[in-house]
mmCIF file of all heavy atoms in Angstrom:
data_model
loop_
_atom_site.group_PDB
_atom_site.id
_atom_site.type_symbol
_atom_site.label_atom_id
_atom_site.label_comp_id
_atom_site.label_asym_id
_atom_site.label_seq_id
_atom_site.Cartn_x
_atom_site.Cartn_y
_atom_site.Cartn_z
ATOM 1 N N MET C 300 -1.959 22.029 28.756
ATOM 2 C CA MET C 300 -2.395 20.637 28.680
ATOM 3 C C MET C 300 -3.746 20.517 29.372
ATOM 4 O O MET C 300 -4.156 21.412 30.108
ATOM 5 C CB MET C 300 -1.367 19.692 29.322
ATOM 6 C CG MET C 300 -1.054 19.944 30.777
ATOM 7 S SD MET C 300 -2.227 19.201 31.957
ATOM 8 C CE MET C 300 -1.939 17.470 31.653
ATOM 9 N N LEU C 302 -6.568 17.352 31.119
ATOM 10 C CA LEU C 302 -6.776 15.956 31.468
ATOM 11 C C LEU C 302 -7.854 15.311 30.599
ATOM 12 O O LEU C 302 -7.908 14.089 30.477
ATOM 13 C CB LEU C 302 -7.161 15.833 32.947
ATOM 14 C CG LEU C 302 -6.173 16.389 33.963
ATOM 15 C CD1 LEU C 302 -6.642 16.090 35.383
ATOM 16 C CD2 LEU C 302 -4.777 15.836 33.742
ATOM 17 N N ALA C 305 -8.094 12.536 26.611
ATOM 18 C CA ALA C 305 -6.870 11.723 26.597
ATOM 19 C C ALA C 305 -5.666 12.520 26.115
ATOM 20 O O ALA C 305 -4.678 11.960 25.646
ATOM 21 C CB ALA C 305 -7.060 10.473 25.732
ATOM 22 N N ASP C 307 -3.573 14.292 27.881
ATOM 23 C CA ASP C 307 -2.422 14.279 28.776
ATOM 24 C C ASP C 307 -1.472 13.114 28.531
ATOM 25 O O ASP C 307 -0.316 13.156 28.958
ATOM 26 C CB ASP C 307 -2.870 14.291 30.233
ATOM 27 C CG ASP C 307 -3.968 13.277 30.543
ATOM 28 O OD1 ASP C 307 -4.529 12.710 29.592
ATOM 29 O OD2 ASP C 307 -4.271 13.078 31.732
ATOM 30 N N SER C 308 -1.926 12.073 27.838
ATOM 31 C CA SER C 308 -1.043 10.945 27.540
ATOM 32 C C SER C 308 0.199 11.383 26.768
ATOM 33 O O SER C 308 1.259 10.761 26.874
ATOM 34 C CB SER C 308 -1.792 9.886 26.729
ATOM 35 O OG SER C 308 -2.825 9.304 27.481
ATOM 36 N N MET C 310 2.134 13.779 27.225
ATOM 37 C CA MET C 310 3.264 14.203 28.051
ATOM 38 C C MET C 310 4.190 13.017 28.298
ATOM 39 O O MET C 310 5.419 13.123 28.129
ATOM 40 C CB MET C 310 2.768 14.811 29.355
ATOM 41 C CG MET C 310 1.918 16.055 29.143
ATOM 42 S SD MET C 310 1.442 16.900 30.670
ATOM 43 C CE MET C 310 2.886 17.911 30.976
ATOM 44 N N LEU C 311 3.620 11.875 28.697
ATOM 45 C CA LEU C 311 4.452 10.684 28.888
ATOM 46 C C LEU C 311 4.989 10.171 27.558
ATOM 47 O O LEU C 311 6.126 9.676 27.491
ATOM 48 C CB LEU C 311 3.635 9.592 29.587
ATOM 49 C CG LEU C 311 3.180 9.913 31.015
ATOM 50 C CD1 LEU C 311 2.329 8.781 31.572
ATOM 51 C CD2 LEU C 311 4.382 10.164 31.929
ATOM 52 N N GLU C 312 4.185 10.265 26.511
ATOM 53 C CA GLU C 312 4.607 9.783 25.192
ATOM 54 C C GLU C 312 5.905 10.426 24.738
ATOM 55 O O GLU C 312 6.772 9.770 24.149
ATOM 56 C CB GLU C 312 3.501 10.062 24.163
ATOM 57 C CG GLU C 312 3.819 9.648 22.743
ATOM 58 C CD GLU C 312 3.921 8.146 22.589
ATOM 59 O OE1 GLU C 312 3.011 7.420 23.018
ATOM 60 O OE2 GLU C 312 4.944 7.690 22.042
ATOM 61 N N TRP C 315 9.054 9.970 28.158
ATOM 62 C CA TRP C 315 9.648 8.664 28.454
ATOM 63 C C TRP C 315 10.804 8.279 27.538
ATOM 64 O O TRP C 315 11.844 7.831 28.036
ATOM 65 C CB TRP C 315 8.564 7.593 28.424
ATOM 66 C CG TRP C 315 7.833 7.433 29.734
ATOM 67 C CD1 TRP C 315 8.241 7.868 30.965
ATOM 68 C CD2 TRP C 315 6.575 6.778 29.930
ATOM 69 N NE1 TRP C 315 7.311 7.527 31.929
ATOM 70 C CE2 TRP C 315 6.274 6.849 31.321
ATOM 71 C CE3 TRP C 315 5.675 6.137 29.087
ATOM 72 C CZ2 TRP C 315 5.116 6.306 31.864
ATOM 73 C CZ3 TRP C 315 4.514 5.594 29.632
ATOM 74 C CH2 TRP C 315 4.241 5.679 31.002
ATOM 75 N N TRP C 341 8.556 -0.126 36.673
ATOM 76 C CA TRP C 341 8.050 1.242 36.575
ATOM 77 C C TRP C 341 7.981 1.925 37.934
ATOM 78 O O TRP C 341 7.993 3.163 38.001
ATOM 79 C CB TRP C 341 6.677 1.232 35.910
ATOM 80 C CG TRP C 341 6.751 1.026 34.419
ATOM 81 C CD1 TRP C 341 6.496 -0.108 33.729
ATOM 82 C CD2 TRP C 341 7.147 2.010 33.458
ATOM 83 N NE1 TRP C 341 6.700 0.096 32.372
ATOM 84 C CE2 TRP C 341 7.096 1.387 32.183
ATOM 85 C CE3 TRP C 341 7.526 3.347 33.534
ATOM 86 C CZ2 TRP C 341 7.414 2.062 31.006
ATOM 87 C CZ3 TRP C 341 7.836 4.023 32.357
ATOM 88 C CH2 TRP C 341 7.784 3.385 31.119
ATOM 89 N N HIS C 344 11.057 3.900 38.278
ATOM 90 C CA HIS C 344 11.327 4.886 37.220
ATOM 91 C C HIS C 344 10.223 5.930 37.218
ATOM 92 O O HIS C 344 9.300 5.903 36.395
ATOM 93 C CB HIS C 344 11.435 4.191 35.863
ATOM 94 C CG HIS C 344 12.652 3.341 35.715
ATOM 95 N ND1 HIS C 344 12.696 2.036 36.125
ATOM 96 C CD2 HIS C 344 13.877 3.626 35.228
ATOM 97 C CE1 HIS C 344 13.903 1.529 35.883
ATOM 98 N NE2 HIS C 344 14.638 2.476 35.350
ATOM 99 N N ALA C 347 9.718 10.872 34.996
ATOM 100 C CA ALA C 347 8.783 11.688 34.221
ATOM 101 C C ALA C 347 7.740 12.326 35.132
ATOM 102 O O ALA C 347 7.404 13.511 34.979
ATOM 103 C CB ALA C 347 8.102 10.836 33.148
ATOM 104 N N PHE C 348 7.236 11.558 36.094
ATOM 105 C CA PHE C 348 6.244 12.101 37.010
ATOM 106 C C PHE C 348 6.856 13.186 37.897
ATOM 107 O O PHE C 348 6.190 14.163 38.253
ATOM 108 C CB PHE C 348 5.650 10.977 37.862
ATOM 109 C CG PHE C 348 4.890 9.950 37.058
ATOM 110 C CD1 PHE C 348 5.307 8.627 37.020
ATOM 111 C CD2 PHE C 348 3.772 10.314 36.325
ATOM 112 C CE1 PHE C 348 4.613 7.685 36.289
ATOM 113 C CE2 PHE C 348 3.068 9.376 35.581
ATOM 114 C CZ PHE C 348 3.486 8.062 35.555
ATOM 115 N N GLU C 349 8.118 13.014 38.248
ATOM 116 C CA GLU C 349 8.800 14.038 39.042
ATOM 117 C C GLU C 349 8.977 15.319 38.229
ATOM 118 O O GLU C 349 8.823 16.439 38.752
ATOM 119 C CB GLU C 349 10.144 13.505 39.513
ATOM 120 C CG GLU C 349 10.027 12.367 40.528
ATOM 121 C CD GLU C 349 11.328 11.610 40.724
ATOM 122 O OE1 GLU C 349 12.372 12.072 40.206
ATOM 123 O OE2 GLU C 349 11.317 10.549 41.373
ATOM 124 N N MET C 351 7.046 16.346 35.744
ATOM 125 C CA MET C 351 5.734 16.963 35.609
ATOM 126 C C MET C 351 5.266 17.592 36.911
ATOM 127 O O MET C 351 4.564 18.617 36.916
ATOM 128 C CB MET C 351 4.738 15.910 35.114
ATOM 129 C CG MET C 351 5.054 15.424 33.702
ATOM 130 S SD MET C 351 4.305 13.821 33.311
ATOM 131 C CE MET C 351 2.583 14.214 33.445
ATOM 132 N N THR C 352 5.663 16.996 38.017
ATOM 133 C CA THR C 352 5.358 17.585 39.327
ATOM 134 C C THR C 352 6.043 18.939 39.472
ATOM 135 O O THR C 352 5.431 19.921 39.934
ATOM 136 C CB THR C 352 5.815 16.628 40.448
ATOM 137 O OG1 THR C 352 5.033 15.443 40.389
ATOM 138 C CG2 THR C 352 5.662 17.275 41.816
ATOM 139 N N LEU C 507 5.557 -0.579 24.752
ATOM 140 C CA LEU C 507 4.520 -0.911 25.723
ATOM 141 C C LEU C 507 3.570 -1.955 25.150
ATOM 142 O O LEU C 507 3.157 -1.839 24.000
ATOM 143 C CB LEU C 507 3.736 0.338 26.136
ATOM 144 C CG LEU C 507 4.549 1.450 26.799
ATOM 145 C CD1 LEU C 507 3.642 2.616 27.162
ATOM 146 C CD2 LEU C 507 5.261 0.924 28.047
ATOM 147 N N MET C 511 -1.044 0.700 25.701
ATOM 148 C CA MET C 511 -1.301 1.239 27.043
ATOM 149 C C MET C 511 -1.662 2.719 27.043
ATOM 150 O O MET C 511 -1.387 3.435 28.014
ATOM 151 C CB MET C 511 -0.096 0.984 27.961
ATOM 152 C CG MET C 511 0.091 -0.470 28.334
ATOM 153 S SD MET C 511 1.565 -0.782 29.366
ATOM 154 C CE MET C 511 1.297 0.306 30.759
ATOM 155 N N TRP C 512 -2.287 3.199 25.974
ATOM 156 C CA TRP C 512 -2.566 4.640 25.883
ATOM 157 C C TRP C 512 -3.509 5.104 26.995
ATOM 158 O O TRP C 512 -3.277 6.132 27.635
ATOM 159 C CB TRP C 512 -3.140 4.967 24.507
ATOM 160 C CG TRP C 512 -3.156 6.429 24.228
ATOM 161 C CD1 TRP C 512 -4.220 7.281 24.308
ATOM 162 C CD2 TRP C 512 -2.041 7.241 23.851
ATOM 163 N NE1 TRP C 512 -3.846 8.564 24.003
ATOM 164 C CE2 TRP C 512 -2.504 8.561 23.714
ATOM 165 C CE3 TRP C 512 -0.692 6.965 23.608
ATOM 166 C CZ2 TRP C 512 -1.674 9.615 23.344
ATOM 167 C CZ3 TRP C 512 0.143 8.021 23.235
ATOM 168 C CH2 TRP C 512 -0.354 9.323 23.107
ATOM 169 N N SER C 513 -4.571 4.350 27.245
ATOM 170 C CA SER C 513 -5.508 4.759 28.292
ATOM 171 C C SER C 513 -4.874 4.649 29.677
ATOM 172 O O SER C 513 -5.241 5.392 30.593
ATOM 173 C CB SER C 513 -6.787 3.923 28.222
ATOM 174 O OG SER C 513 -6.524 2.569 28.504
ATOM 175 N N VAL C 514 -3.918 3.738 29.832
ATOM 176 C CA VAL C 514 -3.201 3.615 31.105
ATOM 177 C C VAL C 514 -2.363 4.868 31.344
ATOM 178 O O VAL C 514 -2.293 5.392 32.474
ATOM 179 C CB VAL C 514 -2.308 2.363 31.114
ATOM 180 C CG1 VAL C 514 -1.464 2.301 32.378
ATOM 181 C CG2 VAL C 514 -3.163 1.099 30.968
ATOM 182 N N MET C 515 -1.729 5.353 30.300
ATOM 183 C CA MET C 515 -0.947 6.587 30.404
ATOM 184 C C MET C 515 -1.846 7.753 30.814
ATOM 185 O O MET C 515 -1.481 8.584 31.663
ATOM 186 C CB MET C 515 -0.242 6.864 29.078
ATOM 187 C CG MET C 515 0.824 5.825 28.730
ATOM 188 S SD MET C 515 1.191 5.711 26.959
ATOM 189 C CE MET C 515 1.934 7.310 26.633
ATOM 190 N N THR C 516 -3.036 7.793 30.222
ATOM 191 C CA THR C 516 -4.001 8.833 30.593
ATOM 192 C C THR C 516 -4.380 8.727 32.065
ATOM 193 O O THR C 516 -4.389 9.726 32.792
ATOM 194 C CB THR C 516 -5.274 8.707 29.731
ATOM 195 O OG1 THR C 516 -4.941 8.902 28.359
ATOM 196 C CG2 THR C 516 -6.320 9.721 30.137
ATOM 197 N N ASP C 517 -4.683 7.519 32.521
ATOM 198 C CA ASP C 517 -5.064 7.323 33.924
ATOM 199 C C ASP C 517 -3.940 7.750 34.867
ATOM 200 O O ASP C 517 -4.198 8.332 35.934
ATOM 201 C CB ASP C 517 -5.403 5.856 34.176
ATOM 202 C CG ASP C 517 -6.691 5.425 33.492
ATOM 203 O OD1 ASP C 517 -7.461 6.308 33.073
ATOM 204 O OD2 ASP C 517 -6.905 4.201 33.370
ATOM 205 N N ALA C 518 -2.704 7.464 34.470
ATOM 206 C CA ALA C 518 -1.566 7.803 35.329
ATOM 207 C C ALA C 518 -1.415 9.313 35.480
ATOM 208 O O ALA C 518 -1.210 9.829 36.594
ATOM 209 C CB ALA C 518 -0.291 7.179 34.779
ATOM 210 N N VAL C 519 -1.507 10.044 34.372
ATOM 211 C CA VAL C 519 -1.376 11.508 34.447
ATOM 212 C C VAL C 519 -2.575 12.113 35.160
ATOM 213 O O VAL C 519 -2.434 13.061 35.947
ATOM 214 C CB VAL C 519 -1.198 12.112 33.047
ATOM 215 C CG1 VAL C 519 -1.057 13.636 33.135
ATOM 216 C CG2 VAL C 519 0.028 11.533 32.353
ATOM 217 N N ASP C 520 -3.769 11.572 34.906
ATOM 218 C CA ASP C 520 -4.950 12.053 35.624
ATOM 219 C C ASP C 520 -4.756 11.918 37.132
ATOM 220 O O ASP C 520 -5.079 12.831 37.901
ATOM 221 C CB ASP C 520 -6.183 11.244 35.212
ATOM 222 C CG ASP C 520 -6.662 11.569 33.804
ATOM 223 O OD1 ASP C 520 -6.092 12.485 33.181
ATOM 224 O OD2 ASP C 520 -7.591 10.888 33.328
ATOM 225 N N THR C 521 -4.236 10.776 37.536
ATOM 226 C CA THR C 521 -4.015 10.536 38.967
ATOM 227 C C THR C 521 -2.980 11.500 39.534
ATOM 228 O O THR C 521 -3.141 12.033 40.645
ATOM 229 C CB THR C 521 -3.557 9.080 39.184
ATOM 230 O OG1 THR C 521 -4.594 8.193 38.756
ATOM 231 C CG2 THR C 521 -3.232 8.812 40.641
ATOM 232 N N LEU C 522 -1.933 11.736 38.786
ATOM 233 C CA LEU C 522 -0.869 12.635 39.243
ATOM 234 C C LEU C 522 -1.382 14.055 39.456
ATOM 235 O O LEU C 522 -1.071 14.700 40.471
ATOM 236 C CB LEU C 522 0.271 12.646 38.223
ATOM 237 C CG LEU C 522 1.490 13.495 38.589
ATOM 238 C CD1 LEU C 522 2.325 12.791 39.652
ATOM 239 C CD2 LEU C 522 2.347 13.790 37.350
ATOM 240 N N TYR C 523 -2.184 14.557 38.511
ATOM 241 C CA TYR C 523 -2.536 15.978 38.476
ATOM 242 C C TYR C 523 -3.910 16.314 39.050
ATOM 243 O O TYR C 523 -4.174 17.479 39.368
ATOM 244 C CB TYR C 523 -2.487 16.473 37.032
ATOM 245 C CG TYR C 523 -1.131 16.955 36.560
ATOM 246 C CD1 TYR C 523 -0.927 17.257 35.214
ATOM 247 C CD2 TYR C 523 -0.064 17.128 37.430
ATOM 248 C CE1 TYR C 523 0.300 17.715 34.746
ATOM 249 C CE2 TYR C 523 1.170 17.567 36.979
ATOM 250 C CZ TYR C 523 1.346 17.871 35.639
ATOM 251 O OH TYR C 523 2.568 18.330 35.185
ATOM 252 N N ALA C 524 -4.806 15.352 39.158
ATOM 253 C CA ALA C 524 -6.211 15.656 39.404
ATOM 254 C C ALA C 524 -6.444 16.474 40.672
ATOM 255 O O ALA C 524 -7.288 17.376 40.696
ATOM 256 C CB ALA C 524 -7.029 14.366 39.456
ATOM 257 N N GLU C 525 -5.703 16.207 41.734
ATOM 258 C CA GLU C 525 -5.937 16.884 43.003
ATOM 259 C C GLU C 525 -5.096 18.150 43.175
ATOM 260 O O GLU C 525 -5.201 18.832 44.206
ATOM 261 C CB GLU C 525 -5.652 15.923 44.169
ATOM 262 C CG GLU C 525 -6.517 14.672 44.168
ATOM 263 C CD GLU C 525 -7.991 15.000 44.268
ATOM 264 O OE1 GLU C 525 -8.339 15.960 44.984
ATOM 265 O OE2 GLU C 525 -8.805 14.303 43.624
ATOM 266 N N PRO C 528 0.588 17.035 42.946
ATOM 267 C CA PRO C 528 1.206 15.891 42.277
ATOM 268 C C PRO C 528 2.262 15.171 43.089
ATOM 269 O O PRO C 528 2.418 13.956 42.960
ATOM 270 C CB PRO C 528 1.798 16.510 41.008
ATOM 271 C CG PRO C 528 1.945 17.964 41.308
ATOM 272 C CD PRO C 528 0.812 18.293 42.213
ATOM 273 N N SER C 530 2.233 14.224 46.006
ATOM 274 C CA SER C 530 1.629 13.196 46.850
ATOM 275 C C SER C 530 1.128 11.993 46.051
ATOM 276 O O SER C 530 0.720 10.988 46.649
ATOM 277 C CB SER C 530 0.455 13.795 47.640
ATOM 278 O OG SER C 530 0.909 14.834 48.493
ATOM 279 N N TYR C 531 1.156 12.095 44.735
ATOM 280 C CA TYR C 531 0.554 11.045 43.913
ATOM 281 C C TYR C 531 1.546 10.415 42.932
ATOM 282 O O TYR C 531 1.144 9.640 42.064
ATOM 283 C CB TYR C 531 -0.646 11.610 43.151
ATOM 284 C CG TYR C 531 -1.816 11.906 44.051
ATOM 285 C CD1 TYR C 531 -1.955 13.160 44.644
ATOM 286 C CD2 TYR C 531 -2.759 10.924 44.342
ATOM 287 C CE1 TYR C 531 -3.011 13.437 45.491
ATOM 288 C CE2 TYR C 531 -3.830 11.187 45.192
ATOM 289 C CZ TYR C 531 -3.951 12.446 45.759
ATOM 290 O OH TYR C 531 -5.000 12.702 46.615
ATOM 291 N N ILE C 532 2.824 10.737 43.056
ATOM 292 C CA ILE C 532 3.822 10.150 42.163
ATOM 293 C C ILE C 532 3.832 8.629 42.282
ATOM 294 O O ILE C 532 3.815 7.909 41.271
ATOM 295 C CB ILE C 532 5.224 10.731 42.450
ATOM 296 C CG1 ILE C 532 5.293 12.202 42.046
ATOM 297 C CG2 ILE C 532 6.301 9.914 41.725
ATOM 298 C CD1 ILE C 532 6.603 12.887 42.417
ATOM 299 N N GLU C 533 3.855 8.140 43.487
ATOM 300 C CA GLU C 533 3.914 6.692 43.711
ATOM 301 C C GLU C 533 2.679 5.994 43.147
ATOM 302 O O GLU C 533 2.774 4.933 42.514
ATOM 303 C CB GLU C 533 4.051 6.402 45.207
ATOM 304 C CG GLU C 533 4.201 4.911 45.519
ATOM 305 C CD GLU C 533 4.420 4.658 47.003
ATOM 306 O OE1 GLU C 533 4.725 5.624 47.734
ATOM 307 O OE2 GLU C 533 4.289 3.489 47.423
ATOM 308 N N GLU C 534 1.507 6.585 43.354
ATOM 309 C CA GLU C 534 0.268 5.981 42.852
ATOM 310 C C GLU C 534 0.234 5.982 41.323
ATOM 311 O O GLU C 534 -0.179 4.996 40.698
ATOM 312 C CB GLU C 534 -0.941 6.722 43.409
ATOM 313 C CG GLU C 534 -2.265 6.076 43.016
ATOM 314 C CD GLU C 534 -3.458 6.750 43.673
ATOM 315 O OE1 GLU C 534 -3.265 7.514 44.647
ATOM 316 O OE2 GLU C 534 -4.596 6.504 43.209
ATOM 317 N N ALA C 535 0.664 7.089 40.720
ATOM 318 C CA ALA C 535 0.679 7.174 39.254
ATOM 319 C C ALA C 535 1.616 6.129 38.656
ATOM 320 O O ALA C 535 1.274 5.433 37.683
ATOM 321 C CB ALA C 535 1.096 8.571 38.815
ATOM 322 N N ALA C 536 2.799 5.996 39.241
ATOM 323 C CA ALA C 536 3.746 4.987 38.764
ATOM 324 C C ALA C 536 3.192 3.586 38.967
ATOM 325 O O ALA C 536 3.416 2.686 38.132
ATOM 326 C CB ALA C 536 5.082 5.143 39.485
ATOM 327 N N GLY C 537 2.462 3.382 40.050
ATOM 328 C CA GLY C 537 1.881 2.075 40.320
ATOM 329 C C GLY C 537 0.839 1.679 39.294
ATOM 330 O O GLY C 537 0.722 0.489 38.941
ATOM 331 N N ILE C 538 0.080 2.647 38.795
ATOM 332 C CA ILE C 538 -0.912 2.364 37.752
ATOM 333 C C ILE C 538 -0.218 1.835 36.503
ATOM 334 O O ILE C 538 -0.645 0.845 35.893
ATOM 335 C CB ILE C 538 -1.723 3.636 37.426
ATOM 336 C CG1 ILE C 538 -2.654 3.964 38.587
ATOM 337 C CG2 ILE C 538 -2.512 3.470 36.127
ATOM 338 C CD1 ILE C 538 -3.338 5.314 38.455
ATOM 339 N N VAL C 539 0.869 2.489 36.118
ATOM 340 C CA VAL C 539 1.629 2.033 34.941
ATOM 341 C C VAL C 539 2.210 0.653 35.201
ATOM 342 O O VAL C 539 2.102 -0.257 34.366
ATOM 343 C CB VAL C 539 2.749 3.039 34.601
ATOM 344 C CG1 VAL C 539 3.569 2.530 33.414
ATOM 345 C CG2 VAL C 539 2.169 4.415 34.284
ATOM 346 N N ALA C 540 2.817 0.478 36.374
ATOM 347 C CA ALA C 540 3.470 -0.800 36.694
ATOM 348 C C ALA C 540 2.472 -1.954 36.714
ATOM 349 O O ALA C 540 2.731 -3.024 36.132
ATOM 350 C CB ALA C 540 4.176 -0.692 38.041
ATOM 351 N N ASP C 541 1.334 -1.756 37.347
ATOM 352 C CA ASP C 541 0.355 -2.843 37.459
ATOM 353 C C ASP C 541 -0.156 -3.277 36.099
ATOM 354 O O ASP C 541 -0.263 -4.482 35.809
ATOM 355 C CB ASP C 541 -0.818 -2.400 38.338
ATOM 356 C CG ASP C 541 -0.440 -2.282 39.813
ATOM 357 O OD1 ASP C 541 0.635 -2.779 40.189
ATOM 358 O OD2 ASP C 541 -1.218 -1.664 40.576
ATOM 359 N N ASN C 542 -0.488 -2.322 35.258
ATOM 360 C CA ASN C 542 -1.017 -2.655 33.933
ATOM 361 C C ASN C 542 0.052 -3.247 33.036
ATOM 362 O O ASN C 542 -0.213 -4.194 32.282
ATOM 363 C CB ASN C 542 -1.635 -1.406 33.283
ATOM 364 C CG ASN C 542 -2.995 -1.074 33.847
ATOM 365 O OD1 ASN C 542 -4.006 -1.586 33.391
ATOM 366 N ND2 ASN C 542 -3.018 -0.208 34.848
#
Side-chain angles (χ1 to χ4, degrees):
M300 59 83 65
L302 302 185
D307 47 349
S308 294
M310 298 186 84
L311 295 177
E312 178 67 51
W315 274 342
W341 284 103
H344 291 86
F348 296 118
E349 292 165 9
M351 294 160 62
T352 294
L507 299 180
M511 290 178 56
W512 193 259
S513 65
V514 175
M515 294 157 66
T516 298
D517 291 345
V519 180
D520 288 355
T521 297
L522 183 75
Y523 273 171
E525 300 300 323
S530 298
Y531 289 90
I532 291 175
E533 183 177 346
E534 185 175 344
I538 289 171
V539 178
D541 289 347
N542 283 273

